[in-house]
């Protein structure tokens, strides 16, 4: 049974992932190629009652990759396709785009229902509808079964996490932009607290939620990129750290980064394990998809409401997914510093209460929690009882662990 729009309006008005795109921004000039975003019908039983749109670049080869794009609340497929920059790289590197669209009949503000258990479980609701779109692309367009990826913003970012958790046998990787960990909420009652201030669970607790989404699955797990602006007051920044905890635990790697780097637009990159989990924090950015309009190789997208001019996250994700034939981040351009080299002297490490860390200027507190300066990693409750070890990796930049 579909949810009542009047009930959902209570949630989407404050929005779990509310992303507002002005109608004027949805209009986009016709692409130079004949290919265009096209609605697809008859792609499956569609239990989630979603619409499907697809983009196939001219001369798309057989066994090409496919990327699923999930818009935010009040957005639609055309708007996200137009502004996110994905068309540029689909044309350049020849991969298909699958763009699901929510309907207002399902949700008053056209948000994907990331907080409804019936839409976030394997084989049900909206999650199954999206999976059926992938199946349709494979059978109709000849896309590769083992090179499917997903990316989404806010409510769409939370839904990206749903697809990675429920269908690890379908998706090889994904990107969660200003999103929320899988199964943080199981209804409207707790969706607001997931948005802000966020829910604090152990990595194992978060990981179990993902493992239970496809019980008994023992195959490979998708790689995950997480993006969040440090000035995001719609979906709390703490969600980035909780998402990091979830996916590092699922992939069996430490929550301490193996390397860090400084990228353009005040973006910090934390790499975990063998690189399968990456966390990008965009300094000062609010709630939205990071874009960087321009004609440069690493530039993409258009600025609009909740498409924020900082760094081209789409380029970074496309390269991370290996859509360019590689799979490593491009070298930061001068004068951006290159990744921090391994120190030749022992690192500065301090173990103290979270209260003491804040008092000493190694951390700050917000919403009752302590966060490490520079990395913004959540340390736990801000009090004298919680103890954390912090390592200094740069001036006024601290990370958890030593």
């Amino acid at each position: 049974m579909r949810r009542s729009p009047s009930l959902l309006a209570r949630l989407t008005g404050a929005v779990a992932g509310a992303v507002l795109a002005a109608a004027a921004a949805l209009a986009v000039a016709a692409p130079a190629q004949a290919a265009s975003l096209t609605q697809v019908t008859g792609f499956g039983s569609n239990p989630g009652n979603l619409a499907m749109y697809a983009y196939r670049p001219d001369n798309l080869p057989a066994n090409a990759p496919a990327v699923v794009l999930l818009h935010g609340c009040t957005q639609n497929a055309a708007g996200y396709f137009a502004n996110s920059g994905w068309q540029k790289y689909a044309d350049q590197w020849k991969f298909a785009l699958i763009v699901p669209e929510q309907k207002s009949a399902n949700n008053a503000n056209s948000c994907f229902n990331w907080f409804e258990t019936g839409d976030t479980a394997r084989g049900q609701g909206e999650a199954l509808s999206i999976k059926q779109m992938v199946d349709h692309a494979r059978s109709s367009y000849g896309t590769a079964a083992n090179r499917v990826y997903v990316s989404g913003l806010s409510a769409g970012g939370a839904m990206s996490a749903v697809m990675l958790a429920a269908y690890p046998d379908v998706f090889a990787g994904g990107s969660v932009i200003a999103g929320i960990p899988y199964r943080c909420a199981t209804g409207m009652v707790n969706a607001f607290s997931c948005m802000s201030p966020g829910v604090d669970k152990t990595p194992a607790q978060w990981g179990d939620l993902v493992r239970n989404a496809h019980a008994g699955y023992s195959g490979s797990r998708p790689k995950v990129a997480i993006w969040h602006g440090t000035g995001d007051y719609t979906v709390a920044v703490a969600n980035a750290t909780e998402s990091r905890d979830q996916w590092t635990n699922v992939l069996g790697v430490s929550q301490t980064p193996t390397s860090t780097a400084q990228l353009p637009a005040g973006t910090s990159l934390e790499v975990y394990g063998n690189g399968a989990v990456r966390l990008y924090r965009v300094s000062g950015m609010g709630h939205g998809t990071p874009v960087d309009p321009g004609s440069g190789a690493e530039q993409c997208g258009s600025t609009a409401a909740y498409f924020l001019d900082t760094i081209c996250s789409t380029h970074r994700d496309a390269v991370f997914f290996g859509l360019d034939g590689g799979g490593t981040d491009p070298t930061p351009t001068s004068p951006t510093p290159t990744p921090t080299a391994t120190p030749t002297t022992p690192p500065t490490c301090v173990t103290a209460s979270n209260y003491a860390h804040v008092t000493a200027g190694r951390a700050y507190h917000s919403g009752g929690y302590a966060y490490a300066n520079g990395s913004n990693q959540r340390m736990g409750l801000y009090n004298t009882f919680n103890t954390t070890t912090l390592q200094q990796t740069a001036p006024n930049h601290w990370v958890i662990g030593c």
Side-chain angles (χ1 to χ4, degrees):
M1 179 180 296
R2 308 308 300 164
R3 273 71 56 203
S4 166
S6 61
L7 287 176
L8 290 168
R10 294 173 51 206
L11 175 66
T12 56
V15 164
V19 188
L20 202 49
L26 301 184
V28 60
Q33 294 186 321
S36 61
L37 186 69
T38 303
Q39 186 168 6
V40 179
T41 58
F43 57 84
S45 61
N46 191 18
N49 190 34
L50 302 180
M52 175 182 177
Y53 290 80
Y55 179 77
R56 289 181 288 168
D58 292 341
N59 303 314
L60 184 70
N63 294 312
V67 179
V68 176
L69 303 180
L70 298 169
H71 64 75
C73 298
T74 75
Q75 289 185 317
N76 60 20
Y80 205 81
F81 173 79
N83 293 309
S84 63
W86 276 100
Q87 181 183 357
K88 172 179 177 176
Y89 299 109
D91 288 338
Q92 182 176 329
W93 293 325
K94 300 301 180 186
F95 55 86
L97 297 175
I98 302 166
V99 194
E101 182 176 280
Q102 181 61 286
K103 297 179 181 179
S104 59
N106 301 336
N107 184 292
N109 279 2
S110 299
C111 310
F112 291 105
N113 286 303
W114 61 271
F115 49 89
E116 295 283 359
T117 56
D119 284 309
T120 61
R122 182 180 176 89
Q124 298 183 38
E126 293 174 10
L128 179 55
S129 289
I130 296 169
K131 192 263 186 182
Q132 289 177 345
M133 296 180 196
V134 173
D135 292 341
H136 179 84
R138 185 168 64 250
S139 62
S140 299
Y141 312 153
T143 54
N146 63 342
R147 299 191 68 194
V148 183
Y149 305 89
V150 61
S151 177
L153 166 64
S154 197
M159 203 67 188
S160 291
V162 167
M163 301 312 296
L164 295 172
Y167 293 102
D169 51 336
V170 173
F171 293 93
S175 175
V176 178
I177 305 173
I180 291 172
Y182 175 68
R183 278 293 168 93
C184 179
T186 55
M188 287 194 299
V189 173
N190 55 357
F192 285 112
S193 59
C194 288
M195 290 169 53
S196 184
V199 173
D200 187 16
K201 295 182 184 291
T202 67
Q205 289 172 327
W206 283 125
D208 284 344
L209 291 173
V210 171
R211 285 182 284 271
N212 291 337
H214 187 7
Y217 177 74
S218 59
S220 61
R221 293 282 179 174
K223 60 173 67 175
V224 183
I226 301 158
W227 292 84
H228 222 106
T230 64
D232 189 338
Y233 300 107
T234 300
V235 175
V237 179
N239 281 290
T241 301
E242 300 302 316
S243 291
R244 183 276 314 272
D245 287 352
Q246 183 167 68
W247 294 107
T248 51
N249 182 264
V250 169
L251 287 160
V253 300
S254 170
Q255 286 74 54
T256 300
T258 52
S259 67
T260 61
Q262 293 300 311
L263 306 177
T267 304
S268 65
L269 166 62
E270 301 163 22
V271 178
Y272 295 87
N274 61 359
V277 176
R278 299 184 177 205
L279 172 53
Y280 298 85
R281 304 180 193 267
V282 187
S283 180
M285 190 184 78
H287 189 67
T289 295
V291 297
D292 182 18
S295 58
E298 298 179 17
Q299 291 184 291
C300 73
S302 304
T303 55
Y306 300 95
F307 290 94
L308 306 179
D309 188 356
T310 48
I311 184 174
C312 174
S313 58
T314 295
H315 181 269
R316 298 271 164 182
D317 284 343
V319 173
F320 177 49
F321 297 158
L323 300 177
D324 65 335
T328 58
D329 275 321
T331 302
T333 54
S334 180
T336 305
T338 55
T340 305
T342 303
T344 56
T345 58
T348 299
C349 296
V350 180
T351 300
S353 72
N354 289 347
Y355 176 83
H357 281 307
V358 172
T359 301
R362 294 181 291 269
Y364 63 94
H365 69 90
S366 177
Y369 293 92
Y371 298 85
N373 282 353
S375 70
N376 301 308
Q377 292 175 306
R378 183 193 275 193
M379 300 154 54
L381 292 173
Y382 170 56
N383 57 33
T384 59
F385 303 104
N386 285 51
T387 299
T388 305
T389 298
L390 293 180
Q391 174 182 313
Q392 186 172 18
T393 60
N396 200 34
H397 191 283
W398 297 80
V399 298
I400 297 174
C402 194

